[in-house]
Amino acid sequence: MVGKRDAAVQTKIPVFIQSGFHVNSNTPSDEYLIPLAVKWGALGALEGAQVTFPKPTTAKVGDEALSVFTGNIELTVNFKVAAKAPAGPGVASGTLSYQACNDRACFPPKKIELNIPYQVQ
Amino acid sequence: MSSQRLTALSATALLVGLFLVVGYFLQERTAGLQTVKAASVKPDKERHKAPEFTLKDADGKTVHLADYKGKVVLLDFWATWCPPCKLEIPWFIDIQRKNKDRGFEVLGVAMDDNGWEDVKPFLASMKVNYRVVVGDDEVTKAYGGVEDLPTTFLIDREGKIAAVHIGLASRKDFEDGVEELLRGNGATPVTAIPGAVPAAVMAAKW
């Protein structure tokens, strides 16, 4: 990801969910369910970091319809390069948290580190 | 432009790699699920002692598994964020209500990281009528590293594990397993009709 100072830049985070499993969407249907979420740590020369999630699908467990993601999805992240950012490389870091289930069982919440390299021109 | 693509690709490759690991983990767990039959009650000689634990219930009271000796126990590892667990809870409420007077108890072990903050309001909303404790790593390790939720153990009156359900099972599986354990396999005799007085007690009275 390359951008000039004060410019808007965008990156995609691909998420591959194993067949037969789902993760809760970013807007789960129940307050107790754990959403797919990105939490940013050090952004370096970048600002904003607004994440756009795809449209969720529905999975049913009993009579309950759950808002979930399945298969291959992409999260879109919009950054802005800081006006006074120094030229050169950097890394924006954060964590992606998720909680996965299949139709019979659920698995403990997990976190994955995100490291997005960038270059300020 | 090519350097932009290269940078973007390297970030993508890293993410893909991470998710493949996740996929691998999930596939392993599925394989585990497929090999576990809906639990039938094991013969007495194949049962092993259920690991002891000490945990706190919603009132802060200490709960030991040993407190339940002499009773059939349905020990349910679950979490508020687990829809299959939520699906089973009304069954357990019903099984508890029907069999409490026969020497049976459901004991829930909630595996929520936030503990009672999440568990208490959830229990209230579900009108849970059985005791629940908040679990920890020690208890899951003792029970074989419970990762798949729900995981439910049926424990006989001698404190031995008679059956294990990994993942969502059917209501009938639970009802049949509980009934079989309540009825026998060398266990302490119980009355089949709730509230009835056992013959031995009657004899002692007269």
Side-chain angles (χ1 to χ4, degrees):
Chain A
M1 193 168 60
V2 179
K4 293 180 179 175
R5 292 184 186 96
D6 222 15
V9 289
Q10 187 180 80
T11 191
K12 306 272 188 185
I13 301 175
V15 178
F16 301 148
I17 302 158
Q18 183 83 32
S19 175
F21 292 84
H22 60 258
V23 297
N24 293 314
S25 78
N26 55 311
T27 53
S29 46
D30 181 315
E31 63 180 310
Y32 291 101
L33 302 180
I34 296 168
L36 181 70
V38 176
K39 187 175 181 184
W40 296 107
L43 290 178
L46 302 180
E47 297 171 347
Q50 187 185 2
V51 181
T52 305
F53 294 83
K55 190 179 172 188
T57 56
T58 300
K60 287 201 88 174
V61 175
D63 293 331
E64 192 171 6
L66 307 173
S67 173
V68 301
F69 294 127
T70 57
N72 300 341
I73 60 168
E74 266 188 350
L75 314 185
T76 304
V77 191
N78 288 299
F79 295 101
K80 182 175 168 267
V81 181
K84 293 181 179 176
V91 176
S93 62
T95 54
L96 178 73
S97 54
Y98 67 94
Q99 191 273 305
C101 298
N102 59 26
D103 60 350
R104 290 192 55 209
C106 291
F107 309 94
K110 301 278 181 189
K111 288 182 180 176
I112 291 176
E113 275 189 35
L114 296 175
N115 290 297
I116 300 175
Y118 61 82
Q119 181 84 30
V120 179
Q121 287 182 327
Chain B
M1 194 65 184
S2 62
S3 68
Q4 284 181 26
R5 281 185 182 155
L6 188 64
T7 311
L9 278 173
S10 63
T12 304
L14 173 65
L15 292 167
V16 169
L18 289 169
F19 279 94
L20 285 176
V21 171
V22 176
Y24 174 75
F25 165 76
L26 293 178
Q27 198 168 39
E28 287 293 292
R29 303 313 303 172
T30 313
L33 279 180
Q34 286 168 345
T35 57
V36 176
K37 292 178 182 176
S40 52
V41 173
K42 292 181 198 170
D44 187 51
K45 62 183 178 186
E46 292 177 21
R47 298 176 193 172
H48 299 286
K49 187 166 169 48
E52 181 54 73
F53 57 76
T54 302
L55 294 166
K56 299 275 188 186
D57 72 6
D59 299 324
K61 291 178 183 165
T62 301
V63 178
H64 307 275
L65 183 63
D67 299 341
Y68 292 83
K69 189 154 187 191
K71 291 186 174 183
V72 171
V73 177
L74 186 154
L75 184 68
D76 174 39
F77 287 82
W78 67 285
T80 61
W81 41 260
C82 165
C85 307
K86 190 178 172 186
L87 187 62
E88 289 182 343
I89 286 174
W91 306 343
F92 297 158
I93 290 171
D94 206 31
I95 295 170
Q96 168 81 1
R97 184 178 54 76
K98 286 177 179 167
N99 297 290
K100 189 172 171 54
D101 295 336
R102 300 173 66 196
F104 170 78
E105 294 287 346
V106 178
L107 180 57
V109 182
M111 296 309 300
D112 290 71
D113 287 344
N114 291 340
W116 293 114
E117 184 185 337
D118 287 345
V119 175
K120 274 188 180 176
F122 184 91
L123 294 177
S125 71
M126 296 290 291
K127 297 183 168 58
V128 169
N129 62 351
Y130 52 84
R131 208 169 192 188
V132 172
V133 293
V134 167
D136 56 24
D137 289 345
E138 198 175 324
V139 70
T140 57
K141 191 176 171 187
Y143 278 80
V146 177
E147 279 271 332
D148 306 14
L149 297 179
T151 291
T152 310
F153 296 84
L154 285 180
I155 300 171
D156 69 16
R157 292 181 190 274
E158 307 301 319
K160 293 177 185 170
I161 295 172
V164 184
H165 294 271
I166 298 175
L168 179 66
S170 74
R171 178 177 180 141
K172 188 172 186 313
D173 281 339
F174 291 119
E175 287 175 338
D176 289 352
V178 168
E179 187 61 33
E180 190 172 339
L181 291 179
L182 284 173
R183 283 192 175 180
N185 288 334
T188 309
V190 289
T191 53
I193 304 164
V197 183
V201 176
M202 291 291 286
K205 276 187 175 177
W206 299 101

